[in-house]
Amino acid sequence: MPTYRFEQVPLTAKKSVPCTICGKQVRRQCTFMQTISPFNKHPDGIPKSRIDILQELKAQANKWETAAETHPKCEAAA
């Protein structure tokens, strides 16, 4: 059985937000990724293009960037 490798489309997002407990800055980085493949389709069945994927990834990254963060030490102390 052959192995297929589909092209990945990554988007790395970084954020620096105040901790919800102590107020100091919390820095986080996250990579959002999808592949260009015949299985990655729109609801109507058309395969997604690189532009479509990047638009979705940017929307996910924007949602993630607005979320509040807490230091692990602050969570453990609380």
Side-chain angles (χ1 to χ4, degrees):
M1 186 156 203
T3 301
Y4 297 99
R5 295 188 184 263
F6 298 110
E7 182 181 356
Q8 296 181 345
V9 181
L11 178 71
T12 302
K14 297 177 184 179
K15 69 177 175 179
S16 181
V17 295
C19 176
T20 56
I21 296 176
C22 69
K24 292 182 181 179
Q25 290 295 309
V26 180
R27 287 188 216 127
R28 296 283 184 264
Q29 177 176 325
C30 185
T31 301
F32 300 92
M33 190 175 319
Q34 288 188 25
T35 58
I36 298 176
S37 73
F39 306 106
N40 192 2
K41 301 178 183 179
H42 291 286
D44 59 0
I46 299 172
K48 295 179 186 176
S49 68
R50 175 181 291 279
I51 295 170
D52 297 332
I53 292 172
L54 282 173
Q55 288 175 348
E56 285 186 13
L57 294 177
K58 286 178 184 177
Q60 287 178 352
N62 288 338
K63 184 177 178 184
W64 174 77
E65 287 174 353
T66 59
E69 293 283 340
T70 305
H71 290 113
K73 290 182 180 179
C74 292
E75 286 179 352

